[in-house]
Amino acid sequence: MYTIKTEASFDSAHFLKGYQGKCSNLHGHRWRVVVEVQSDKLKEDEQNRGMVFDFGDLKSLLKDMCDNLDHSFIYEKGTLKEKTTEALMEEDFRLIPVAFRPTAENFSKYFYEEIKKKGYDVRRVEVYETPNNCASYEE
Ligand SMILES: [Zn+2]
């Protein structure tokens, strides 16, 4: 099995509703996302011969996904009061509501599934919320 691996990062704020500890407060991370895709054979067309996938294509897909989340406040739907989101939007802050608790574990599954939807055979996605703390998802 051949694999290629690329990474990108984004900065965002989040908090964990219902968590007892520091992460219940609004704070930020530089999220580092490492994606590994696989193939049991290499491409044979002239452009991509000898490659699993074009690194550039995977890299730009991942970069676009990270850029969309960059410098935003990511929160789980239903965890902020309506008046809070209204007030933040009035300030023109960039809010990104997601359907999951915004943990590194859930982000790793989110990236895994989104990249898989683009036709990649994803082996594993790792998401670092600090240089020392990493969660990953694979099937
Ligand atoms: Zn955090």
Side-chain angles (χ1 to χ4, degrees):
M1 189 65 84
Y2 299 99
T3 62
I4 61 172
K5 204 170 175 176
T6 190
E7 67 174 79
S9 62
F10 62 97
D11 299 325
S12 81
H14 81 151
F15 73 100
L16 300 180
K17 181 84 170 182
Y19 179 83
Q20 301 292 318
K22 288 197 297 187
C23 292
S24 63
N25 201 15
L26 182 62
H27 64 283
H29 293 282
R30 165 155 292 176
W31 302 91
R32 179 175 160 235
V33 184
V34 181
V35 174
E36 197 172 351
V37 300
Q38 64 186 5
S39 176
D40 56 3
K41 55 182 192 292
L42 300 177
K43 301 272 188 201
E44 289 179 0
D45 62 288
E46 191 174 1
Q47 169 76 4
N48 298 304
R49 193 160 59 88
M51 300 177 181
V52 172
F53 288 106
D54 187 326
F55 261 112
D57 292 345
L58 179 62
K59 213 172 168 58
S60 71
L61 169 64
L62 182 61
K63 186 178 183 310
D64 287 349
M65 290 177 70
C66 287
D67 285 351
N68 283 333
L69 298 168
D70 196 34
H71 285 74
S72 68
F73 171 26
I74 301 171
Y75 68 99
E76 183 180 11
K77 284 176 194 159
T79 60
L80 285 176
K81 294 183 184 79
E82 203 168 311
K83 64 183 180 185
T84 306
T85 53
E86 281 169 10
L88 292 171
M89 284 191 290
E90 263 177 48
E91 298 292 342
D92 284 331
F93 288 137
R94 209 156 87 75
L95 306 180
I96 300 183
V98 293
F100 52 84
R101 197 182 201 198
T103 59
E105 290 87 336
N106 282 329
F107 278 127
S108 67
K109 189 175 187 205
Y110 165 78
F111 278 94
Y112 185 101
E113 288 174 345
E114 291 301 311
I115 291 166
K116 193 176 172 182
K117 280 183 204 162
K118 302 289 182 183
Y120 289 97
D121 185 1
V122 185
R123 180 174 189 157
R124 182 181 171 93
V125 173
E126 295 174 333
V127 174
Y128 289 78
E129 66 169 24
T130 72
N132 300 323
N133 296 343
C134 173
S136 66
Y137 184 80
E138 60 186 271
E139 283 176 353

